[in-house]
Amino acid sequence: MNSLFVYSKSYHYVLIILLFLPLAGISQYTDVINSNRPGLSVSAYAVGKNVVQAELGVFYEQRDHTLLNTQSDIWASDISLRYGLLFERLEINFEGTFQDQDITYTNFNLLAKRRDFSRNRLGLKYLIYDPFKNPEANKPNLYSWRANNKFQFKNLIPAVSLYGGANFVIGDNPFYVGEPTLSYRGMIATQSRITPRFVLITNTAYDRISSDDPELSYLISLSHAFRNPKWSVFVEHQGIQSDRYADLLIRGGIAHLLKENLQLDFNMGASLKNTPSRIFIGLGGSYRMDFHQDNLIAIEDQEADQNGGAIDKDAMKKDKRKKNKNKGNGAEDIDLGPSKKQLKKLKKEEKKKKKESNEIDF
């Protein structure tokens, strides 16, 4: 069979490199859930050490093929289980999609059924570069709210992670007839914070390596957080190319942060061709169990004012009075940059510090 890809046993070495390459970087753990849903794109960041996260959904798809004269109704459920393993930058994840497809062959008035896993894979993802690892280089501009919220070319520099994993075909799977039980997958994921409200994610994957029909695919996803950051929308484009199947897809959707560890979502999309034509709609949710603990830094290893300066004598009283007042649903922890009011306050504090540092003690 002629293939679009030329490969050999060297793919074994490629997989080993992806899994065990010496890596350097820093993760960006957040106080609220950070889900890959409702799209299919994968974030460059890991969930964080000791964080367990489940992302589940159900969807319906209508698929018609004009050349084969077939019509299909598909019901499916998908799940992604993610765990922050050993390091802040490392994540292990399982992705599965169980699909029930009824196919009608219109030329022969026949009905067939296919039911099995259309996706069943396990992999590791490791963050190798994070442009936000140096907080000093990413401080807000205290003199301009616009400077903090406008597009800047440096924001295109993405966080980058590498993924290596394996697909499993168990038993007589009707979706992958004749394929080996084990095949491999490699991917590069990038993530750019274009503005405080816009995030761009790209995935480039080489999948089903070692099978007769390896697959090359890409994903480009753009998400936007509203003024109320508990709500966000996304649009996503996906391209797939292999001897077995090729397609161009577009999807979009909306997500709502219900609580700091719970997100609900809705999505829909379609293909840009008719061999087959595809229309799909889905909904789901993500839930996180957060066992993350920050690494403690010894006092002798800390820099001056690293913990925010001197402790005010009434600090504990203030915290106690405001404990319930400041309690929210988690959206307030999403970093959309300082507001104009916050900038004025920060600017005032900075001037006060400069004035104090210029005073001479006798």
Side-chain angles (χ1 to χ4, degrees), residues 88-245:
E88 294 290 345
R89 303 179 298 270
L90 179 65
E91 173 183 307
I92 184 171
N93 58 71
F94 167 76
E95 299 170 280
T97 301
F98 190 83
Q99 188 167 301
D100 191 317
Q101 179 178 8
D102 292 325
I103 309 173
T104 301
Y105 294 88
T106 55
N107 287 347
F108 306 99
N109 196 27
L110 293 176
L111 180 65
K113 179 181 284 291
R114 295 195 294 185
R115 179 186 295 170
D116 212 311
F117 281 93
S118 60
R119 182 178 59 164
N120 188 26
R121 61 178 176 239
L122 184 68
L124 291 172
K125 183 180 69 176
Y126 206 121
L127 180 70
I128 62 172
Y129 176 72
D130 182 4
F132 295 99
K133 66 181 179 181
N134 182 5
E136 293 296 322
N138 293 281
K139 282 186 174 180
N141 187 328
L142 302 183
Y143 298 91
S144 174
W145 178 87
R146 182 177 179 276
N148 295 316
N149 289 271
K150 72 175 184 178
F151 168 76
Q152 301 179 65
F153 281 103
K154 70 174 184 177
N155 293 342
L156 292 177
I157 300 175
V160 181
S161 67
L162 294 180
Y163 171 95
N167 303 291
F168 299 92
V169 177
I170 302 173
D172 297 325
N173 190 316
F175 297 107
Y176 300 102
V177 177
E179 287 208 5
T181 302
L182 182 66
S183 62
Y184 305 105
R185 173 182 174 85
M187 181 179 69
I188 299 175
T190 71
Q191 182 168 333
S192 303
R193 185 171 177 246
I194 300 176
T195 73
R197 296 183 184 275
F198 281 96
V199 174
L200 177 67
I201 293 176
T202 70
N203 295 166
T204 304
Y206 190 28
D207 201 4
R208 316 207 77 81
I209 306 169
S210 78
S211 71
D212 291 335
D213 298 306
E215 178 182 288
L216 182 65
S217 66
Y218 66 86
L219 271 163
I220 303 173
S221 178
L222 181 65
S223 60
H224 170 67
F226 291 113
R227 181 175 292 275
N228 177 355
K230 290 190 293 184
W231 292 92
S232 63
V233 294
F234 87 102
V235 62
E236 184 176 86
H237 170 60
Q238 182 179 16
I240 304 169
Q241 180 64 58
S242 75
D243 282 352
R244 183 179 65 86
Y245 174 70

Side-chain angles (χ1 to χ4, degrees), residues 13 45 48 61 90 110 147 149 182 209 227 257 297 315 323 354:
Y13 301 104
Y45 292 102
E61 177 179 336
L90 179 65
L110 293 176
N149 289 271
L182 182 66
I209 306 169
R227 181 175 292 275
L257 183 67
I297 302 175
K323 182 177 180 181
K354 287 182 178 179

Side-chain angles (χ1 to χ4, degrees), residues 28 40 47 84 106 138 310 325 361:
Q28 194 177 42
L40 291 184
V47 291
T106 55
N138 293 281
K325 182 178 178 181
D361 294 329

Side-chain angles (χ1 to χ4, degrees), residues 158-357:
V160 181
S161 67
L162 294 180
Y163 171 95
N167 303 291
F168 299 92
V169 177
I170 302 173
D172 297 325
N173 190 316
F175 297 107
Y176 300 102
V177 177
E179 287 208 5
T181 302
L182 182 66
S183 62
Y184 305 105
R185 173 182 174 85
M187 181 179 69
I188 299 175
T190 71
Q191 182 168 333
S192 303
R193 185 171 177 246
I194 300 176
T195 73
R197 296 183 184 275
F198 281 96
V199 174
L200 177 67
I201 293 176
T202 70
N203 295 166
T204 304
Y206 190 28
D207 201 4
R208 316 207 77 81
I209 306 169
S210 78
S211 71
D212 291 335
D213 298 306
E215 178 182 288
L216 182 65
S217 66
Y218 66 86
L219 271 163
I220 303 173
S221 178
L222 181 65
S223 60
H224 170 67
F226 291 113
R227 181 175 292 275
N228 177 355
K230 290 190 293 184
W231 292 92
S232 63
V233 294
F234 87 102
V235 62
E236 184 176 86
H237 170 60
Q238 182 179 16
I240 304 169
Q241 180 64 58
S242 75
D243 282 352
R244 183 179 65 86
Y245 174 70
D247 214 336
L248 293 172
L249 305 169
I250 188 168
R251 61 178 64 88
I254 188 167
H256 175 58
L257 183 67
L258 196 63
K259 295 182 179 180
E260 63 180 16
N261 289 327
L262 178 62
Q263 174 186 292
L264 302 178
D265 62 74
F266 168 82
N267 71 89
M268 61 189 306
S271 64
L272 302 179
K273 51 183 290 189
N274 57 10
T275 54
S277 66
R278 301 175 60 184
I279 299 175
F280 41 87
I281 183 171
L283 54 86
S286 305
Y287 181 73
R288 178 176 76 165
M289 291 181 286
D290 188 358
F291 305 108
H292 181 273
Q293 292 183 347
D294 293 328
N295 293 327
L296 299 178
I297 302 175
I299 294 178
E300 59 269 19
D301 296 330
Q302 296 181 13
E303 299 177 0
D305 291 337
Q306 185 171 340
N307 293 316
I311 300 175
D312 188 85
K313 63 179 181 179
D314 295 325
M316 296 303 293
K317 295 181 180 179
K318 291 179 182 178
D319 287 342
K320 188 175 181 180
R321 287 197 303 267
K322 294 182 179 180
K323 182 177 180 181
N324 295 327
K325 182 178 178 181
N326 293 333
K327 188 175 181 180
N329 291 326
E332 65 277 358
D333 293 321
I334 299 176
D335 181 16
L336 295 179
S339 65
K340 292 181 180 179
K341 186 176 180 181
Q342 290 170 331
L343 282 175
K344 289 181 180 179
K345 185 177 179 181
L346 290 171
K347 184 178 177 181
K348 186 177 179 180
E349 291 175 353
E350 186 183 66
K351 286 183 177 179
K352 184 178 178 181
K353 287 182 179 179
K354 287 182 178 179
K355 184 178 179 181
E356 291 174 350
S357 63

Side-chain angles (χ1 to χ4, degrees), residues 60-64 71-74 271 276-281:
Y60 168 76
E61 177 179 336
Q62 183 179 1
R63 183 183 300 184
D64 301 329
Q71 298 178 353
S72 297
D73 292 307
I74 300 172
S271 64
S277 66
R278 301 175 60 184
I279 299 175
F280 41 87
I281 183 171

